[in-house]
mmCIF file of all heavy atoms in Angstrom:
data_model
loop_
_atom_site.group_PDB
_atom_site.id
_atom_site.type_symbol
_atom_site.label_atom_id
_atom_site.label_comp_id
_atom_site.label_asym_id
_atom_site.label_seq_id
_atom_site.Cartn_x
_atom_site.Cartn_y
_atom_site.Cartn_z
ATOM 1 N N SER A 276 4.121 1.852 -13.274
ATOM 2 C CA SER A 276 2.712 1.857 -13.644
ATOM 3 C C SER A 276 1.980 2.383 -12.394
ATOM 4 O O SER A 276 2.446 2.350 -11.211
ATOM 5 C CB SER A 276 2.231 0.527 -14.077
ATOM 6 O OG SER A 276 2.206 -0.399 -12.949
ATOM 7 N N ASN A 277 0.647 2.597 -12.579
ATOM 8 C CA ASN A 277 -0.095 3.120 -11.436
ATOM 9 C C ASN A 277 -0.971 2.002 -10.782
ATOM 10 O O ASN A 277 -1.880 2.237 -10.111
ATOM 11 C CB ASN A 277 -1.037 4.331 -11.866
ATOM 12 C CG ASN A 277 -2.121 3.856 -12.828
ATOM 13 O OD1 ASN A 277 -2.013 2.799 -13.436
ATOM 14 N ND2 ASN A 277 -3.174 4.702 -12.973
ATOM 15 N N GLU A 278 -0.620 0.791 -11.134
ATOM 16 C CA GLU A 278 -1.297 -0.353 -10.554
ATOM 17 C C GLU A 278 -0.376 -1.183 -9.660
ATOM 18 O O GLU A 278 0.799 -1.336 -9.845
ATOM 19 C CB GLU A 278 -1.785 -1.307 -11.703
ATOM 20 C CG GLU A 278 -2.947 -0.748 -12.502
ATOM 21 C CD GLU A 278 -3.391 -1.636 -13.583
ATOM 22 O OE1 GLU A 278 -2.857 -2.730 -13.713
ATOM 23 O OE2 GLU A 278 -4.460 -1.371 -14.162
ATOM 24 N N GLU A 279 -0.960 -1.574 -8.530
ATOM 25 C CA GLU A 279 -0.277 -2.461 -7.546
ATOM 26 C C GLU A 279 -1.075 -3.861 -7.483
ATOM 27 O O GLU A 279 -2.089 -3.923 -6.985
ATOM 28 C CB GLU A 279 -0.313 -1.823 -6.109
ATOM 29 C CG GLU A 279 0.251 -2.731 -5.050
ATOM 30 C CD GLU A 279 1.839 -2.873 -5.161
ATOM 31 O OE1 GLU A 279 2.478 -1.911 -5.779
ATOM 32 O OE2 GLU A 279 2.290 -3.811 -4.632
ATOM 33 N N GLU A 280 -0.378 -4.827 -8.047
ATOM 34 C CA GLU A 280 -1.047 -6.161 -8.066
ATOM 35 C C GLU A 280 -0.818 -6.942 -6.822
ATOM 36 O O GLU A 280 0.331 -6.937 -6.348
ATOM 37 C CB GLU A 280 -0.543 -6.939 -9.334
ATOM 38 C CG GLU A 280 -1.138 -6.452 -10.609
ATOM 39 C CD GLU A 280 -1.078 -7.579 -11.652
ATOM 40 O OE1 GLU A 280 -1.987 -8.350 -11.782
ATOM 41 O OE2 GLU A 280 -0.152 -7.571 -12.432
ATOM 42 N N ILE A 281 -1.850 -7.593 -6.321
ATOM 43 C CA ILE A 281 -1.727 -8.423 -5.178
ATOM 44 C C ILE A 281 -2.329 -9.797 -5.515
ATOM 45 O O ILE A 281 -3.573 -9.935 -5.958
ATOM 46 C CB ILE A 281 -2.538 -7.930 -3.993
ATOM 47 C CG1 ILE A 281 -2.021 -6.502 -3.621
ATOM 48 C CG2 ILE A 281 -2.471 -8.881 -2.797
ATOM 49 C CD1 ILE A 281 -2.856 -5.841 -2.514
ATOM 50 N N GLY A 282 -1.511 -10.931 -5.587
ATOM 51 C CA GLY A 282 -1.993 -12.202 -5.933
ATOM 52 C C GLY A 282 -2.432 -12.945 -4.757
ATOM 53 O O GLY A 282 -1.774 -12.973 -3.706
ATOM 54 N N VAL A 283 -3.658 -13.542 -4.784
ATOM 55 C CA VAL A 283 -4.140 -14.358 -3.744
ATOM 56 C C VAL A 283 -3.930 -15.814 -4.204
ATOM 57 O O VAL A 283 -4.489 -16.330 -5.169
ATOM 58 C CB VAL A 283 -5.619 -14.176 -3.403
ATOM 59 C CG1 VAL A 283 -6.063 -14.997 -2.264
ATOM 60 C CG2 VAL A 283 -5.847 -12.667 -3.237
ATOM 61 N N VAL A 284 -3.017 -16.530 -3.539
ATOM 62 C CA VAL A 284 -2.433 -17.817 -3.969
ATOM 63 C C VAL A 284 -2.617 -18.900 -2.883
ATOM 64 O O VAL A 284 -2.406 -18.643 -1.690
ATOM 65 C CB VAL A 284 -0.959 -17.659 -4.332
ATOM 66 C CG1 VAL A 284 -0.355 -19.064 -4.578
ATOM 67 C CG2 VAL A 284 -0.716 -16.734 -5.568
ATOM 68 N N ALA A 285 -2.989 -20.142 -3.325
ATOM 69 C CA ALA A 285 -3.046 -21.206 -2.375
ATOM 70 C C ALA A 285 -3.392 -22.475 -3.101
ATOM 71 O O ALA A 285 -3.749 -22.436 -4.310
ATOM 72 C CB ALA A 285 -4.084 -20.976 -1.268
ATOM 73 N N THR A 286 -3.254 -23.635 -2.476
ATOM 74 C CA THR A 286 -3.695 -24.838 -3.022
ATOM 75 C C THR A 286 -5.233 -24.921 -3.036
ATOM 76 O O THR A 286 -5.930 -24.135 -2.358
ATOM 77 C CB THR A 286 -3.046 -26.023 -2.305
ATOM 78 O OG1 THR A 286 -3.271 -25.858 -0.877
ATOM 79 C CG2 THR A 286 -1.581 -26.113 -2.563
ATOM 80 N N VAL A 287 -5.809 -25.907 -3.688
ATOM 81 C CA VAL A 287 -7.288 -26.045 -3.756
ATOM 82 C C VAL A 287 -7.914 -26.133 -2.438
ATOM 83 O O VAL A 287 -7.414 -26.814 -1.502
ATOM 84 C CB VAL A 287 -7.649 -27.268 -4.632
ATOM 85 C CG1 VAL A 287 -9.080 -27.520 -4.514
ATOM 86 C CG2 VAL A 287 -7.195 -26.955 -6.095
ATOM 87 N N SER A 288 -9.019 -25.416 -2.206
ATOM 88 C CA SER A 288 -9.901 -25.475 -0.993
ATOM 89 C C SER A 288 -9.235 -24.951 0.255
ATOM 90 O O SER A 288 -9.624 -25.325 1.392
ATOM 91 C CB SER A 288 -10.430 -26.836 -0.808
ATOM 92 O OG SER A 288 -11.169 -27.287 -1.870
ATOM 93 N N SER A 289 -8.200 -24.014 0.108
ATOM 94 C CA SER A 289 -7.641 -23.425 1.334
ATOM 95 C C SER A 289 -8.328 -22.097 1.738
ATOM 96 O O SER A 289 -8.057 -21.539 2.801
ATOM 97 C CB SER A 289 -6.119 -23.079 1.054
ATOM 98 O OG SER A 289 -5.399 -24.243 0.951
ATOM 99 N N GLY A 290 -9.226 -21.673 0.841
ATOM 100 C CA GLY A 290 -10.020 -20.511 1.156
ATOM 101 C C GLY A 290 -9.684 -19.209 0.510
ATOM 102 O O GLY A 290 -9.973 -18.077 1.052
ATOM 103 N N LYS A 291 -9.066 -19.330 -0.697
ATOM 104 C CA LYS A 291 -8.692 -18.083 -1.444
ATOM 105 C C LYS A 291 -9.850 -17.181 -1.811
ATOM 106 O O LYS A 291 -9.903 -16.032 -1.467
ATOM 107 C CB LYS A 291 -8.005 -18.451 -2.708
ATOM 108 C CG LYS A 291 -6.747 -19.265 -2.662
ATOM 109 C CD LYS A 291 -6.110 -19.445 -3.911
ATOM 110 C CE LYS A 291 -6.963 -20.056 -5.011
ATOM 111 N NZ LYS A 291 -7.478 -21.410 -4.625
ATOM 112 N N SER A 292 -10.939 -17.784 -2.442
ATOM 113 C CA SER A 292 -12.032 -16.992 -2.871
ATOM 114 C C SER A 292 -12.859 -16.516 -1.704
ATOM 115 O O SER A 292 -13.371 -15.438 -1.690
ATOM 116 C CB SER A 292 -12.914 -17.856 -3.807
ATOM 117 O OG SER A 292 -12.174 -18.179 -5.042
ATOM 118 N N THR A 293 -12.857 -17.237 -0.650
ATOM 119 C CA THR A 293 -13.573 -16.818 0.570
ATOM 120 C C THR A 293 -12.887 -15.616 1.187
ATOM 121 O O THR A 293 -13.507 -14.651 1.721
ATOM 122 C CB THR A 293 -13.660 -18.052 1.631
ATOM 123 O OG1 THR A 293 -14.278 -19.105 1.004
ATOM 124 C CG2 THR A 293 -14.492 -17.619 2.834
ATOM 125 N N LEU A 294 -11.591 -15.686 1.210
ATOM 126 C CA LEU A 294 -10.738 -14.561 1.772
ATOM 127 C C LEU A 294 -11.013 -13.341 0.912
ATOM 128 O O LEU A 294 -11.237 -12.246 1.440
ATOM 129 C CB LEU A 294 -9.277 -14.867 1.798
ATOM 130 C CG LEU A 294 -8.412 -13.719 2.275
ATOM 131 C CD1 LEU A 294 -8.589 -13.562 3.782
ATOM 132 C CD2 LEU A 294 -6.926 -13.982 1.972
ATOM 133 N N ALA A 295 -11.060 -13.482 -0.434
ATOM 134 C CA ALA A 295 -11.326 -12.336 -1.321
ATOM 135 C C ALA A 295 -12.728 -11.781 -1.032
ATOM 136 O O ALA A 295 -12.900 -10.497 -0.989
ATOM 137 C CB ALA A 295 -11.178 -12.761 -2.808
ATOM 138 N N ASN A 296 -13.714 -12.669 -0.879
ATOM 139 C CA ASN A 296 -15.050 -12.161 -0.520
ATOM 140 C C ASN A 296 -15.064 -11.388 0.737
ATOM 141 O O ASN A 296 -15.705 -10.344 0.896
ATOM 142 C CB ASN A 296 -15.993 -13.336 -0.452
ATOM 143 C CG ASN A 296 -16.360 -14.060 -1.788
ATOM 144 O OD1 ASN A 296 -16.265 -13.276 -2.812
ATOM 145 N ND2 ASN A 296 -16.681 -15.242 -1.817
ATOM 146 N N ALA A 297 -14.301 -11.781 1.730
ATOM 147 C CA ALA A 297 -14.240 -11.162 3.027
ATOM 148 C C ALA A 297 -13.573 -9.723 2.825
ATOM 149 O O ALA A 297 -14.089 -8.817 3.477
ATOM 150 C CB ALA A 297 -13.443 -11.927 3.995
ATOM 151 N N ILE A 298 -12.593 -9.687 2.001
ATOM 152 C CA ILE A 298 -11.921 -8.385 1.788
ATOM 153 C C ILE A 298 -12.838 -7.444 0.996
ATOM 154 O O ILE A 298 -12.926 -6.269 1.275
ATOM 155 C CB ILE A 298 -10.609 -8.646 0.853
ATOM 156 C CG1 ILE A 298 -9.593 -9.388 1.822
ATOM 157 C CG2 ILE A 298 -10.053 -7.298 0.442
ATOM 158 C CD1 ILE A 298 -8.330 -9.770 1.028
ATOM 159 N N LEU A 299 -13.620 -7.958 0.091
ATOM 160 C CA LEU A 299 -14.576 -7.156 -0.781
ATOM 161 C C LEU A 299 -15.864 -6.823 -0.013
ATOM 162 O O LEU A 299 -16.624 -5.930 -0.469
ATOM 163 C CB LEU A 299 -14.880 -7.967 -2.078
ATOM 164 C CG LEU A 299 -13.891 -8.285 -2.963
ATOM 165 C CD1 LEU A 299 -14.402 -9.154 -4.071
ATOM 166 C CD2 LEU A 299 -13.176 -7.080 -3.477
ATOM 167 N N HIS A 300 -16.110 -7.535 1.166
ATOM 168 C CA HIS A 300 -17.343 -7.309 1.883
ATOM 169 C C HIS A 300 -18.519 -7.740 1.042
ATOM 170 O O HIS A 300 -19.635 -7.235 1.269
ATOM 171 C CB HIS A 300 -17.547 -5.813 2.345
ATOM 172 C CG HIS A 300 -16.578 -5.405 3.492
ATOM 173 N ND1 HIS A 300 -16.889 -4.463 4.398
ATOM 174 C CD2 HIS A 300 -15.349 -5.774 3.686
ATOM 175 C CE1 HIS A 300 -15.890 -4.330 5.229
ATOM 176 N NE2 HIS A 300 -14.923 -5.040 4.796
ATOM 177 N N LYS A 301 -18.346 -8.690 0.194
ATOM 178 C CA LYS A 301 -19.419 -9.128 -0.653
ATOM 179 C C LYS A 301 -19.207 -10.537 -1.179
ATOM 180 O O LYS A 301 -18.140 -10.847 -1.613
ATOM 181 C CB LYS A 301 -19.466 -8.195 -1.915
ATOM 182 C CG LYS A 301 -20.677 -8.321 -2.797
ATOM 183 C CD LYS A 301 -20.759 -7.249 -3.774
ATOM 184 C CE LYS A 301 -22.110 -7.380 -4.713
ATOM 185 N NZ LYS A 301 -23.253 -7.113 -3.863
ATOM 186 N N ARG A 302 -20.182 -11.421 -1.026
ATOM 187 C CA ARG A 302 -20.078 -12.756 -1.389
ATOM 188 C C ARG A 302 -20.326 -12.854 -2.922
ATOM 189 O O ARG A 302 -21.427 -13.128 -3.382
ATOM 190 C CB ARG A 302 -20.977 -13.666 -0.573
ATOM 191 C CG ARG A 302 -20.644 -13.709 0.852
ATOM 192 C CD ARG A 302 -21.633 -14.557 1.597
ATOM 193 N NE ARG A 302 -21.389 -16.045 1.293
ATOM 194 C CZ ARG A 302 -22.372 -16.866 1.400
ATOM 195 N NH1 ARG A 302 -23.588 -16.520 1.730
ATOM 196 N NH2 ARG A 302 -22.162 -18.208 1.111
ATOM 197 N N ILE A 303 -19.258 -12.676 -3.662
ATOM 198 C CA ILE A 303 -19.394 -12.628 -5.184
ATOM 199 C C ILE A 303 -18.539 -13.617 -5.884
ATOM 200 O O ILE A 303 -18.891 -13.984 -7.040
ATOM 201 C CB ILE A 303 -19.002 -11.104 -5.588
ATOM 202 C CG1 ILE A 303 -19.527 -10.887 -7.011
ATOM 203 C CG2 ILE A 303 -17.529 -10.981 -5.474
ATOM 204 C CD1 ILE A 303 -19.330 -9.366 -7.299
ATOM 205 N N LEU A 304 -17.458 -14.181 -5.225
ATOM 206 C CA LEU A 304 -16.688 -15.230 -5.938
ATOM 207 C C LEU A 304 -17.025 -16.504 -5.377
ATOM 208 O O LEU A 304 -17.189 -16.757 -4.149
ATOM 209 C CB LEU A 304 -15.187 -14.992 -5.567
ATOM 210 C CG LEU A 304 -14.663 -13.576 -6.068
ATOM 211 C CD1 LEU A 304 -13.237 -13.359 -5.587
ATOM 212 C CD2 LEU A 304 -14.659 -13.492 -7.612
ATOM 213 N N PRO A 305 -17.285 -17.531 -6.298
ATOM 214 C CA PRO A 305 -17.668 -18.924 -5.837
ATOM 215 C C PRO A 305 -16.659 -19.520 -4.894
ATOM 216 O O PRO A 305 -15.425 -19.391 -5.183
ATOM 217 C CB PRO A 305 -17.792 -19.685 -7.204
ATOM 218 C CG PRO A 305 -17.986 -18.578 -8.257
ATOM 219 C CD PRO A 305 -17.240 -17.367 -7.672
ATOM 220 N N ALA A 306 -17.034 -20.031 -3.775
ATOM 221 C CA ALA A 306 -16.263 -20.620 -2.793
ATOM 222 C C ALA A 306 -16.778 -21.959 -2.385
ATOM 223 O O ALA A 306 -17.623 -22.034 -1.620
ATOM 224 C CB ALA A 306 -16.022 -19.683 -1.601
ATOM 225 N N LYS A 307 -16.223 -22.990 -3.053
ATOM 226 C CA LYS A 307 -16.722 -24.409 -2.827
ATOM 227 C C LYS A 307 -15.553 -25.326 -2.383
ATOM 228 O O LYS A 307 -14.390 -24.927 -2.564
ATOM 229 C CB LYS A 307 -17.399 -24.969 -4.034
ATOM 230 C CG LYS A 307 -18.491 -23.966 -4.598
ATOM 231 C CD LYS A 307 -19.031 -24.490 -5.889
ATOM 232 C CE LYS A 307 -20.052 -23.531 -6.451
ATOM 233 N NZ LYS A 307 -20.548 -23.912 -7.819
ATOM 234 N N ASN A 308 -15.853 -26.533 -1.923
ATOM 235 C CA ASN A 308 -14.825 -27.528 -1.559
ATOM 236 C C ASN A 308 -14.330 -28.209 -2.817
ATOM 237 O O ASN A 308 -14.232 -29.413 -2.840
ATOM 238 C CB ASN A 308 -15.367 -28.479 -0.605
ATOM 239 C CG ASN A 308 -15.640 -27.777 0.821
ATOM 240 O OD1 ASN A 308 -14.880 -26.993 1.244
ATOM 241 N ND2 ASN A 308 -16.806 -28.123 1.391
ATOM 242 N N LYS A 309 -14.050 -27.523 -3.823
ATOM 243 C CA LYS A 309 -13.427 -28.016 -5.079
ATOM 244 C C LYS A 309 -12.793 -26.853 -5.850
ATOM 245 O O LYS A 309 -12.993 -25.701 -5.431
ATOM 246 C CB LYS A 309 -14.411 -28.738 -5.875
ATOM 247 C CG LYS A 309 -15.525 -27.868 -6.379
ATOM 248 C CD LYS A 309 -16.520 -28.693 -7.284
ATOM 249 C CE LYS A 309 -17.661 -27.742 -7.847
ATOM 250 N NZ LYS A 309 -18.547 -28.514 -8.776
ATOM 251 N N ALA A 310 -12.113 -27.131 -6.888
ATOM 252 C CA ALA A 310 -11.554 -26.056 -7.613
ATOM 253 C C ALA A 310 -12.622 -25.224 -8.375
ATOM 254 O O ALA A 310 -13.308 -25.844 -9.197
ATOM 255 C CB ALA A 310 -10.604 -26.680 -8.715
#
């Protein structure tokens, strides 16, 4: 296929969504101290 999947994985509140926001250069994914 022409898609390359990259999974961002971690336990709760390790900073997954914050890392994704940093990669995107846009604060678009909720990043809180809970699930």
Side-chain angles (χ1 to χ4, degrees):
S276 73
N277 67 344
E278 291 185 353
E279 175 70 24
E280 283 201 87
I281 303 174
V283 186
V284 169
T286 52
V287 169
S288 299
S289 294
K291 298 185 307 298
S292 297
T293 304
L294 180 71
N296 285 334
I298 291 171
L299 300 179
H300 289 210
K301 191 172 182 67
R302 294 179 71 205
I303 196 172
L304 299 172
K307 306 173 184 177
N308 290 320
K309 62 178 182 178

